């Protein structure tokens, strides 16, 4: 039996860190419903409640990667259910523009856009599970090394300055 390299060993113990930007009106209630219904999904997702998916600035996604997120989910309303009429469409447009930048950075499969209504808690759980498995196969965020070398004070300072 061969011994595992340090990289292989690190990858086998790897638990991805996910950030989910969830719309206040649809996908956040879906996540809340999943918890209230005791549906099981990975605990390595940090859910950020936002007013509207259309307000997720591409810089927020890039900053999440820079600070060490292994994957980022933008979850918003379905087009016809958006409380702000065009927020879900704006989220799709922002995602399309951001997709090119993220692909150039070599992070393409680490980002995902999903339309999840408040009544779709099982879909939220499925998406989180799928994304966790996809990112686990890809491995740690290569930008994480840079972010993890910062002390807590330095990381806080970069957030305040940004």
């Amino acid at each position: 039996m061969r011994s595992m390299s340090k990289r292989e060993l690190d990858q086998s113990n790897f638990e991805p860190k996910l950030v989910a930007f969830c719309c206040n009106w649809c996908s956040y209630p879906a996540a809340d419903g999943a918890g209230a219904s005791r549906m099981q999904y990975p605990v390595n997702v940090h859910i950020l409640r936002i007013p509207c998916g259309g307000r997720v600035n591409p810089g927020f996604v890039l900053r999440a990667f820079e600070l060490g997120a292994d994957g980022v989910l933008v979850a918003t309303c379905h087009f016809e259910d958006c409380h702000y009429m065009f927020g879900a469409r704006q989220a799709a447009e922002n995602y399309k523009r951001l997709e090119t930048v993220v692909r150039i950075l070599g992070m393409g499969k680490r980002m995902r856009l999903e339309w999840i209504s408040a009544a779709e808690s099982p879909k939220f759980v499925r998406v989180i599970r799928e994304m966790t498995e996809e990112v686990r196969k890809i491995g740690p965020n290569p930008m994480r090394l840079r972010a993890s070398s910062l002390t807590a004070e330095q990381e806080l300072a970069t957030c305040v300055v940004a």
Side-chain angles (χ1 to χ4, degrees):
M1 189 162 98
R2 74 177 184 87
S3 62
M4 294 175 69
S5 71
K6 183 173 177 2
R7 181 183 168 121
E8 289 172 323
L9 189 59
D10 288 346
Q11 187 121 357
S12 69
N13 294 329
F14 171 61
E15 269 306 313
K17 294 180 183 177
L18 304 180
V19 172
F21 292 97
C22 293
C23 161
N24 180 60
W25 302 103
C26 286
S27 55
Y28 188 84
D32 191 43
S37 299
R38 300 188 189 276
M39 295 177 186
Q40 298 293 312
Y41 64 90
V43 296
N44 49 346
V45 60
H46 183 77
I47 299 172
L48 298 172
R49 185 180 196 170
I50 55 171
C52 176
R55 300 295 297 164
V56 176
N57 183 307
F60 299 166
V61 174
L62 295 174
R63 187 71 172 156
F65 284 132
E66 183 181 14
L67 291 175
D70 297 304
V72 177
L73 170 68
V74 177
T76 189
C77 306
H78 293 277
F79 290 151
E80 62 276 1
D81 296 331
C82 182
H83 282 68
Y84 297 107
M85 308 238 331
F86 300 106
R89 291 184 201 288
Q90 183 65 48
E93 289 173 17
N94 288 347
Y95 182 84
K96 191 172 184 177
R97 283 192 295 268
L98 183 60
E99 207 170 22
T100 304
V101 175
V102 171
R103 192 173 45 251
I104 289 169
L105 292 172
M107 309 280 280
K109 297 204 179 233
R110 297 177 181 278
M111 184 179 74
R112 189 166 171 176
L113 172 67
E114 286 289 335
W115 294 273
I116 303 173
S117 79
E120 294 179 310
S121 294
K123 181 178 181 180
F124 179 84
V125 170
R126 180 180 49 79
V127 167
I128 295 298
R129 285 181 181 161
E130 289 172 0
M131 194 164 181
T132 300
E133 284 308 310
E134 282 178 34
V135 174
R136 188 177 285 128
K137 288 176 188 171
I138 297 169
N141 171 357
M143 294 172 70
R144 177 190 274 187
L145 299 175
R146 196 177 90 218
S148 64
S149 66
L150 298 176
T151 65
E153 292 81 19
Q154 290 170 327
E155 192 170 316
L156 180 61
T158 62
C159 291
V160 171
V161 172

